[in-house]
């Protein structure tokens, strides 16, 4: 997916920029980048590969080279960023959190207009550069960003570092968030508000869908009003978000806890204790334990010294290894227990079978799974939330194909909680992975926990709904 941080200050912004960007590290593992601007030295940029090391270790030793009171940073799971452009709009650097599904079509269109692409990512067009080229077709930055909104399919939120402050522009449908923070003498914009507390920023407000603002050290200027319609990704609260972060005024951990609480209150399963699968399943499990009235135990622990991040490598073999290595079962807490395990989701289910077998091998009498979201039936065309290249990587689609002979048949029935098709699919998943029982959250409970109107939250991956 990816996350960014930008700030403008009356004094040097470098320290805040470095740590603020680092606090987005749970959103990506491929590349990190920083860019600053000062009147004396202009734009200074650096990009590093993060697949073998962390953002902090890559940038710590070169921080002294960055100068200025304004800067932007990115943790990217896609292309190398920031990109620096010199155009009729002036010089600017840009970072994006985006998924451009019509990238090839737009690339051909721009090439036909005698544009060219200088930046390549793994041999392909760098989508952030493509977005920058769409921007410079406008007469000003606002018109250029609206040009992006009107042309791309998918989503795009962005930060532009200009010679006159930082421009923050949220995706037209608000699929990904931008949170504005303020402290004495500085403003900041970020994907994740957990960047703010330790840097003394307070949340000023949340940008609306399609809203564009310019940040300067002493003021925030609205350049484009927000649109009325919003489709913020529900998976932000289920999986992506850091527990301390807030989107649309709704805290991630609070949503997970509330969701688990409601599941626990409604569940008739008899068990001795509850355990959360680290990291995103813990909040749900704590809520479930309270709702069910049974204790929370740490029967599985994440080995944080070497596996601190949520996202895993893009190659399936490495994902499988990481999934196994980072979670360590505790025999003393498993022995002779009927345990409910809470997790955020089941995507491929690659490691679930092996993990369940280990839990039984370590003495568990029963292993029940409770999942914080509904079954993932549809791939996401709007944001890059997995490395999946096909819907057939989803365990649900594989089972639907086995049952129907066509992975696209009767999807609405399999997505309907309680339907015969739904119950059969869930039963097969439970049996395939050796679970004593398996239950998924409902869309209704998830939306109630999020606390926003259903029409403002995207649940496409669960029910195939779309605002288009």
């Amino acid at each position: 997916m990816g996350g960014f941080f930008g700030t403008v200050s009356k004094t040097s912004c470098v320290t805040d920029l470095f740590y603020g960007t680092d606090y987005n590290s749970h959103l990506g593992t491929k590349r990190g980048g920083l860019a600053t601007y000062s009147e004396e030295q202009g734009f200074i940029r650096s990009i590093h590969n993060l697949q073998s090391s962390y953002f902090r270790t890559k940038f710590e030793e070169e921080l002294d080279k960055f100068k200025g009171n304004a800067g932007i940073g990115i943790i990217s799971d896609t292309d190398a960023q920031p990109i620096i452009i010199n155009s009729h709009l002036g010089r600017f650097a840009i970072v994006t959190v985006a998924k451009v599904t019509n990238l090839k079509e737009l690339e051909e269109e721009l090439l036909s207009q005698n544009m060219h692409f200088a930046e390549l990512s793994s041999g392909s067009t760098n989508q952030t550069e493509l977005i920058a080229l769409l921007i410079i077709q406008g007469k000003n930055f606002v018109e250029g960003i609206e040009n992006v909104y009107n042309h791309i399919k998918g989503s795009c939120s962005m930060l532009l570092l200009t010679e006159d402050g930082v421009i923050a522009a949220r995706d037209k449908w608000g699929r990904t968030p931008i949170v504005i923070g303020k402290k004495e003498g500085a403003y900041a914009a970020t994907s994740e508000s957990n960047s703010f507390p330790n840097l003394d920023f307070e949340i000023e407000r949340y940008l609306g869908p399609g809203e564009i603002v310019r940040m300067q050290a002493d003021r925030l200027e609205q350049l484009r009003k927000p649109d009325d319609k919003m489709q913020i990704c529900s998976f932000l609260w289920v999986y992506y978000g850091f527990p301390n972060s807030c989107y649309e005024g709704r805290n991630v951990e609070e949503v997970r806890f509330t969701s688990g609480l409601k599941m626990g209150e409604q569940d008739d399963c008899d068990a001795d204790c509850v355990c959360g699968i680290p990291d995103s399943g813990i909040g749900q499990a704590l809520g479930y334990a309270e709702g069910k009235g049974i204790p929370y135990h740490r029967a599985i622990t994440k080995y944080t010294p070497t596996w601190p991040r949520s996202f895993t490598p893009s190659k399936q073999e490495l994902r499988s290894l990481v999934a196994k290595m980072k979670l360590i079962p505790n025999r003393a807490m498993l022995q002779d227990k009927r345990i409910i395990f809470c997790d955020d989701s089941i995507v491929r289910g690659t490691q679930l079978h092996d993990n369940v077998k280990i839990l039984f091998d370590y003495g568990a009498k029963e292993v029940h799974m409770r999942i914080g979201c509904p079954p993932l039936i549809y791939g996401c065309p709007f944001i890059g939330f997995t490395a999946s290249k096909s819907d057939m990587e989803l365990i649900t689609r594989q089972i639907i194909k086995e049952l129907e002979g066509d992975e696209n048949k009767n999807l609405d029935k399999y997505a309907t909680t309680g339907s015969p098709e739904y119950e059969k699919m869930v039963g097969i998943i439970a049996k395939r992975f050796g679970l004593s029982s398996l239950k998924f959250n409902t869309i209704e409970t998830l939306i109630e926990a999020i606390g926003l109107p259903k029409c403002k939250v995207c649940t496409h991956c669960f029910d195939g709904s779309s605002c288009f």
Side-chain angles (χ1 to χ4, degrees):
M1 186 180 169
F4 52 50
F5 184 92
T7 185
V8 186
S9 175
K10 290 183 178 180
T11 58
S12 173
C13 73
V14 175
T15 299
D16 282 354
L17 177 64
F18 171 65
Y19 288 110
T21 304
D22 186 57
Y23 274 126
N24 285 268
S25 290
H26 59 287
L27 293 175
T29 60
K30 287 190 177 180
R31 296 178 180 89
L34 295 176
T36 56
Y37 173 77
S38 70
E39 291 184 2
E40 297 78 17
Q41 298 191 31
F43 289 87
I44 302 169
R45 179 189 72 164
S46 183
I47 300 172
H48 286 290
N49 187 312
L50 304 182
Q51 291 177 300
S52 62
S53 189
Y54 307 133
F55 175 87
R56 193 173 62 255
T57 61
K58 290 285 190 177
F59 285 88
E60 265 177 336
E61 294 184 359
E62 63 178 28
L63 279 185
D64 287 344
K65 84 174 190 180
F66 290 99
K67 307 294 179 184
N69 296 354
I72 55 176
I74 183 79
I75 304 288
S76 175
D77 248 359
T78 54
D79 40 334
Q81 308 179 52
I83 301 297
I84 297 178
I85 298 289
N86 190 10
S87 74
H88 71 97
L89 299 178
R91 295 177 297 167
F92 66 96
I94 178 173
V95 294
T96 67
V97 173
K99 179 177 181 177
V100 183
T101 58
N102 59 335
L103 183 70
K104 193 68 179 175
E105 173 189 327
L106 290 175
E107 175 189 333
E108 291 174 358
E109 181 182 326
L110 289 170
L111 289 173
S112 70
Q113 297 171 12
N114 296 324
M115 295 274 193
H116 73 279
F117 296 93
E119 304 271 354
L120 294 178
S121 293
S122 302
S124 301
T125 295
N126 182 307
Q127 68 176 6
T128 298
E129 183 183 18
L130 182 142
I131 290 164
L133 293 182
L134 290 173
I135 290 172
I136 63 174
Q137 290 185 336
K139 296 176 182 178
N140 51 53
F141 282 117
V142 172
E143 187 176 294
I145 293 168
E146 288 180 329
N147 191 46
V148 175
Y149 293 163
N150 294 333
H151 280 81
I152 71 161
K153 295 178 181 178
S155 66
C156 179
S157 292
M158 67 187 89
L159 298 179
L160 278 64
L161 173 62
T162 74
E163 296 169 305
D164 188 29
V166 171
I167 295 174
R170 187 178 176 187
D171 171 63
K172 182 179 181 180
W173 288 95
R175 298 191 184 280
T176 51
I178 297 181
V179 189
I180 303 296
K182 181 183 179 182
K183 68 177 178 180
E184 184 66 31
Y187 276 96
T190 186
S191 302
E192 291 280 274
S193 63
N194 69 288
S195 299
F196 289 158
N198 290 339
L199 300 177
D200 298 325
F201 286 97
E202 295 286 344
I203 293 176
E204 176 78 356
R205 66 186 187 87
Y206 305 89
L207 290 195
E211 186 175 8
I212 305 173
V213 299
R214 177 186 284 114
M215 297 188 303
Q216 295 174 324
D218 56 356
R219 69 191 189 107
L220 186 69
E221 177 188 5
Q222 186 182 67
L223 303 180
R224 183 186 191 271
K225 292 181 179 180
D227 296 326
D228 293 328
K229 295 181 179 180
M230 180 172 70
Q231 285 284 281
I232 185 169
C233 175
S234 57
F235 221 59
L236 287 165
W237 287 280
V238 172
Y239 177 60
Y240 297 125
F242 199 75
N244 305 74
S245 285
C246 296
Y247 319 114
E248 307 303 320
R250 297 293 292 140
N251 174 256
V252 170
E253 183 74 355
E254 183 182 13
V255 169
R256 291 174 184 168
F257 184 92
T258 302
S259 180
L261 178 75
K262 293 179 182 299
M263 289 185 75
E265 290 173 341
Q266 299 164 8
D267 200 350
D268 59 2
C269 179
D270 289 327
D272 301 308
C273 60
V274 183
C275 176
I277 305 295
D279 292 309
S280 45
I282 293 174
Q284 179 201 350
L286 289 168
Y288 185 100
E290 184 166 317
K292 185 70 174 171
I294 57 178
Y296 176 89
H297 288 172
R298 288 205 299 171
I300 289 181
T301 308
K302 185 176 180 181
Y303 192 70
T304 54
T306 51
W307 306 107
R309 293 184 284 187
S310 299
F311 275 61
T312 51
S314 57
K315 292 184 178 179
Q316 181 59 55
E317 316 88 76
L318 293 178
R319 281 201 303 270
S320 300
L321 177 62
V322 168
K324 179 180 179 180
M325 295 300 293
K326 69 181 179 181
L327 299 179
I328 304 175
N330 187 337
R331 187 184 298 274
M333 304 305 291
L334 288 164
Q335 192 72 45
D336 298 324
K337 298 284 197 322
R338 300 170 302 167
I339 302 185
I340 291 173
F341 287 92
C342 292
D343 205 356
D344 52 75
S345 60
I346 298 177
V347 182
R348 302 171 186 84
T350 310
Q351 285 297 309
L352 189 55
H353 182 274
D354 290 342
N355 288 341
V356 173
K357 182 179 184 300
I358 289 172
L359 296 174
F360 279 117
D361 289 346
Y362 270 62
K365 289 173 63 177
E366 297 176 8
V367 176
H368 305 270
M369 289 292 297
R370 298 295 180 263
I371 305 301
C373 67
L376 296 164
I377 304 291
Y378 301 85
C380 180
F382 307 120
I383 61 177
F385 86 75
T386 73
S388 297
K389 299 293 187 283
S390 164
D391 287 358
M392 278 304 293
E393 292 188 41
L394 299 171
I395 183 65
T396 54
R397 284 298 188 94
Q398 295 170 24
I399 291 172
I400 291 169
K401 185 174 184 179
E402 292 169 12
L403 294 173
E404 303 284 355
D406 180 353
E407 67 271 19
N408 298 311
K409 188 175 181 180
N410 293 327
L411 295 185
D412 57 333
K413 295 179 179 179
Y414 286 98
T416 302
T417 303
S419 71
E421 291 83 0
Y422 175 96
E423 295 295 343
K424 189 169 187 178
M425 176 184 68
V426 173
I428 291 173
I429 295 174
K431 184 177 181 181
R432 182 163 297 180
F433 297 131
L435 294 165
S436 304
S437 74
L438 170 65
K439 288 185 180 180
F440 289 86
N441 203 355
T442 65
I443 288 180
E444 293 77 15
T445 299
L446 178 60
I447 292 297
E448 187 180 353
I450 291 172
L452 296 174
K454 170 69 168 64
C455 62
K456 291 185 176 293
V457 181
C458 182
T459 57
H460 175 86
C461 52
F462 311 130
D463 60 7
S465 62
S466 174
C467 56
F468 298 109

